[in-house]
Amino acid sequence: MARTQVAIIGAGPSGLLLSQLLDLHGIDNVVLERQSRDYVEGRIRAGVLEQGTVDLLIEANVGERLLRERLVHDGFALAFADRTFRIDLKALTGGAVSVYGQTEVTKDLMEARVAAGAKLLFEAGDVSIEGFERDHPAVRYTHEGRTYELSCDFVAGCDGYHGIARRSVPAAAMQTYERVYPFGWLGILADVPPASHELIYSNHARGFAMCSMRSLTRSRYYLQCGLDEKLEAWPDARFWDELRLRLPADVAAALVAGPSIEKSIAPLRSFVVEPLRFGQLFLVGDAAHIVPPAGAKGLNLAAADVRLLFQALVERYRTGRTALLDRYSERCLRRIWMAERFSWWFTSITHKFSDDAFAQRMQLAELEYLTGSTAALTSLAENYVGLPFEGPPGMSSS
Ligand code: FAS
Ligand code: PHB
């Protein structure tokens, strides 16, 4: 039976970043990914990185293209009642965010792992975890028609919301918390210049809309849509027309339409599982939590989990101590719940939940108050740029 120190299930951002950081600290690991490399590198998802995530990618030696190509945004805009209001992140927090697609983060990580000769196995089927309560669990999988078994010290479940890691744990051993939203996001990617130099989140009576970007020549837009919507009912022309209707007139006038290069519908949910550790199995990223994307937290939360697990594994292998491993769940959950709250709140004030006139007036009152209060704006801004990471290992938690 093959052996490694850490078996990582999933080669998304969580799995690749953990693998890279462990490797840089001499900790042997194997990554088992269900899909092909092309499929993983082709996924279009997040677009905004917190500074903490940027710093971690630099620490992982994959920050060079990111620092060269990212767009640093000192602010973003809220649009409502046919006007836009700029949230000045820099003035309110001293911070900023980086616009750099998750697709590019994944490509940078993948390139680094392949260059390092990492043990990355794609199209690994039927992955299962045996005995994660034991000191040396085993991970079974198939590849090209043969079955393999990998013995390890630890398993990192980086396999996303639909993965098998969380599902390997008896339901009685965990508590889950979930809110499924009554709408999804219809997203489009197009090689057209963005309508604005910063992101715009638009609250509109027809539904939420969002203007984002991947560069100054590639735009990413979203429309809130019903859960029963089908992509085939949304030809490009309909998407652009509806987007214009949901934006303030000046932004709509600046919108440049063009052929979509990607279009997809994503459901929205808030989800957390507690705890995140089960014996030698540790859940990381979307395997442990999901946030509605309005707060731009999903990918950043995953990176924060990776940071804490990587620190804990380095402590274990360097000193034999397991204090940080024992605190992994508690340390992750503090940040997870803060991000869940912010993402839920930001979704609640920007999206259309019903035709209820009172509810819509409450949203507008909240937006009016928010954009008129430095205290409220500071709270929004500090959550958006990313709350500070917990202190270095060993510091007492606040
Ligand atoms: P991922 O889901 O990215 O990766 C999990 C990996 O595990 C995948 O490669 C999968 O193929 C693999 N896997 C699954 N089951 C397996 C098995 N049984 N065996 C082996 N491998 C297995 N976040 C934002 O901040 N902004 C956004 O706009 C945004 N948009 C999103 C849109 C969609 C459609 C989705 C699904 C998510 C979006 N997110 C967004 C959140 C997203 O960015 C995640 O937070 C991020 O991908 C988390 O990374 P991972 O934890 O690595 O999980
Ligand atoms: C994106 O560019 O895909 C994006 C950016 C910020 C969000 C959500 C999505 O809050």
Side-chain angles (χ1 to χ4, degrees):
M1 181 190 321
R3 187 171 153 63
T4 186
Q5 290 174 303
V6 182
I8 299 172
I9 305 174
S14 295
L16 291 172
L17 181 53
L18 180 62
S19 175
Q20 176 74 354
L21 287 163
L22 292 177
D23 191 29
L24 289 176
H25 287 76
I27 299 172
D28 188 71
N29 64 88
V30 173
V31 181
L32 300 172
E33 165 58 48
R34 176 171 63 180
Q35 305 288 355
S36 68
R37 176 176 173 182
D38 285 349
Y39 181 93
V40 173
E41 290 187 318
R43 266 197 298 243
I44 312 282
R45 283 192 176 164
V48 167
L49 304 181
E50 297 172 5
Q51 188 55 43
T53 303
V54 171
D55 294 343
L56 192 62
L57 291 167
I58 292 168
E59 182 179 349
N61 291 347
V62 293
E64 189 192 337
R65 185 164 74 103
L66 161 61
L67 292 175
R68 198 172 57 243
E69 296 182 8
R70 68 168 174 179
L71 301 173
V72 177
H73 281 199
D74 294 342
F76 68 90
L78 280 175
F80 60 97
D82 201 32
R83 59 194 167 92
T84 52
F85 181 93
R86 183 170 187 267
I87 313 290
D88 189 338
L89 297 173
K90 195 84 172 171
L92 290 162
T93 70
V97 293
S98 294
V99 171
Y100 187 76
Q102 174 175 325
T103 308
E104 307 317 313
V105 172
T106 303
K107 286 177 181 171
D108 294 341
L109 283 164
M110 196 75 80
E111 187 181 322
R113 298 309 300 130
V114 170
K119 286 171 272 188
L120 258 179
L121 189 71
F122 295 101
E123 296 175 283
D126 310 312
V127 175
S128 65
I129 310 168
E130 309 291 321
F132 49 73
E133 308 85 353
R134 294 197 308 261
D135 284 348
H136 299 294
V139 177
R140 284 203 187 94
Y141 61 94
T142 59
H143 191 251
E144 293 175 351
R146 291 185 55 193
T147 299
Y148 298 85
E149 195 164 286
L150 181 65
S151 171
C152 55
D153 300 331
F154 301 102
V155 182
C158 301
D159 52 350
Y161 179 75
H162 299 289
I164 58 98
R166 188 179 70 250
R167 287 174 171 76
S168 303
V169 179
M174 65 174 80
Q175 169 78 44
T176 59
Y177 304 83
E178 188 157 37
R179 164 70 50 86
V180 178
Y181 295 86
F183 42 74
W185 274 20
L186 166 59
I188 198 169
L189 195 66
D191 281 332
V192 294
S196 165
H197 69 295
E198 293 177 327
L199 274 56
I200 300 174
Y201 296 79
S202 178
N203 171 298
H204 193 276
R206 295 176 67 90
F208 169 81
M210 189 192 162
C211 303
S212 185
M213 63 193 78
R214 291 295 178 266
S215 68
L216 297 180
T217 59
R218 176 166 286 190
S219 297
R220 178 77 167 156
Y221 292 106
Y222 294 99
L223 293 175
Q224 173 186 344
C225 65
L227 289 174
D228 54 354
E229 283 293 353
K230 300 281 183 278
L231 275 184
E232 46 271 21
W234 285 89
D236 289 1
R238 183 186 175 196
F239 184 96
W240 295 118
D241 290 346
E242 182 63 28
L243 179 60
R244 285 192 188 90
L245 291 174
R246 298 188 187 184
L247 295 172
D250 61 330
V251 179
L255 190 67
V256 177
S260 60
I261 53 179
E262 190 268 355
K263 214 182 309 183
S264 55
I265 294 177
L268 271 57
R269 74 179 74 241
S270 297
F271 173 82
V272 180
V273 64
E274 289 188 356
L276 274 62
R277 174 189 189 178
F278 305 90
Q280 306 302 78
L281 169 63
F282 293 81
L283 300 181
V284 185
D286 276 20
H289 44 73
I290 296 287
V291 285
K297 292 298 155 211
L299 175 56
N300 294 296
L301 258 189
D305 294 348
V306 168
R307 175 177 172 271
L308 294 179
L309 183 55
F310 145 68
Q311 286 175 354
L313 288 168
V314 168
E315 178 194 62
R316 161 64 178 71
Y317 281 110
R318 281 212 179 131
T319 69
R321 284 197 301 270
T322 62
L324 292 179
L325 281 175
D326 297 342
R327 288 185 58 211
Y328 170 74
S329 204
E330 163 220 337
R331 294 177 84 203
C332 286
L333 284 167
R334 186 174 301 119
R335 189 177 190 87
I336 289 165
W337 280 113
M338 295 285 189
E340 290 283 347
R341 179 210 66 82
F342 172 68
S343 304
W344 162 82
W345 168 77
F346 197 54
T347 300
S348 71
I349 66 168
T350 49
H351 288 63
K352 179 177 181 179
F353 283 77
S354 72
D355 288 318
D356 177 82
F358 178 79
Q360 289 182 359
R361 296 301 289 169
M362 282 297 97
Q363 272 190 343
L364 289 177
E366 172 109 26
L367 289 163
E368 287 291 350
Y369 163 69
L370 172 64
T371 51
S373 158
T374 302
L377 286 169
T378 303
S379 171
L380 164 56
E382 67 181 10
N383 278 280
Y384 194 85
V385 298
L387 297 176
F389 278 140
E390 190 176 303
M395 273 182 73
S396 60
S397 58
S398 51

